[in-house]
Each structure stands twice: as structure tokens, then as C-alpha cells.
Amino acid sequence: MNRKSLNEIIKLNDQQKKQLAGEIKAFYLDVRGEEIGIIEEQQIIELFCEHMAPIIYNKALDDAMHWFKGQTDNLEADYYMLYKDI
């Protein structure tokens, strides 16, 4: 994937960015006992959005396709159950 800005990779509104920043800050404080600043929070958000979010997004698409194929298989089976014996 080409290097793109955070807003080009994944669209987050201000509330979502604020929530992510809070989660990251809490993680560092709770797990590592470290306080991080706004710049570090933003860098971590960008790291996730640019490098990890596309992987997770693609996995979600694959999972959705797997589910959809299962549903269409069920539909096909239901279709053939409608046939009458002749």
C-alpha cells in the first residue's frame, strides 16, 4: 500500500480520534506505567491506521465474504428444497 496520510487510509472523525488517543494513553499508563504526550498518541494512531488497519480491514472483508458464501449456499439448498417430486 502506498504511504498515505491518516485521512486517506481510514476516515476517523474527531470523536473517534479522541477516543483512540484516550485508549492509547490509558494503555501506556496502565500496562507500561508511562505517560505519553499528544505527539506520541498521534504517531501511534497513524501507525495503526497506515499499517495495521488495512490488514484488519482486509481480514474483515474476507470474513464477510466467507459468511456471505455460507448464506448463498444455504439459499441454494433452500431453493432446491422447493422442487416437487415428479
Side-chain angles (χ1 to χ4, degrees), residues 14-27:
D14 290 339
Q15 180 60 34
Q16 291 167 325
K17 290 176 190 176
K18 187 176 179 179
Q19 181 179 355
L20 286 175
E23 293 290 334
I24 291 166
K25 189 172 203 134
F27 170 81

Side-chain angles (χ1 to χ4, degrees), residues 38-50:
I38 295 170
I39 294 172
E40 290 87 357
E41 290 171 8
Q42 293 305 312
Q43 288 172 334
I44 292 169
I45 291 171
E46 286 184 25
L47 168 74
F48 276 90
C49 290
E50 289 178 14

Side-chain angles (χ1 to χ4, degrees), residues 5 7 19-20 22 25 30 32 39 44 53 63-64 66 72-73 76-77:
S5 73
N7 288 330
Q19 181 179 355
L20 286 175
K25 189 172 203 134
D30 293 345
R32 301 184 59 136
I39 294 172
I44 292 169
D63 290 349
H66 177 75
T72 57
D73 288 346
E76 186 176 353

Side-chain angles (χ1 to χ4, degrees), residues 1-6 9-10 43-58:
M1 177 170 272
N2 297 335
R3 304 253 334 158
K4 296 181 180 179
S5 73
L6 171 65
I9 300 292
I10 185 170
Q43 288 172 334
I44 292 169
I45 291 171
E46 286 184 25
L47 168 74
F48 276 90
C49 290
E50 289 178 14
H51 299 285
M52 296 172 194
I55 295 167
I56 294 167
Y57 177 82
N58 289 341

